[in-house]
Amino acid sequence: NNVKTDATMVDVLVSFGMAASKSDAKRLIEQKAVRHNGQPVVLTKDPVTLSVNDVIEVGRKAVKIDP
């Protein structure tokens, strides 16, 4: 059920509306405000692998990946 994307976590945050821009998303990641399934996200250019029921959190906002 894993879906490998060509998108980075920065792109994912912007597309879900959890960051206003790519630079905002990078800043949030650098400030350790972003978690993927409870684990802090590290700023990288690697693509993200998402699964159904994964949770991405930015501060108090959270998005659950639905099928």
Side-chain angles (χ1 to χ4, degrees), residues 39-62:
Q39 299 298 315
V41 173
V42 190
L43 189 57
T44 177
K45 295 184 186 216
D46 294 337
V48 168
T49 300
L50 298 174
S51 302
V52 175
N53 296 326
D54 274 8
V55 177
I56 299 171
E57 301 168 88
V58 178
R60 295 183 181 184
K61 298 180 196 172

Side-chain angles (χ1 to χ4, degrees), residues 10-37:
V10 169
D11 297 325
V12 171
L13 293 176
V14 173
S15 67
F16 280 123
M18 299 183 85
S21 64
K22 286 187 174 189
S23 60
D24 184 39
K26 288 176 186 174
R27 180 184 57 76
L28 289 166
I29 292 171
E30 287 170 350
Q31 292 177 348
K32 308 261 189 263
V34 181
R35 295 180 162 268
H36 180 205
N37 291 333

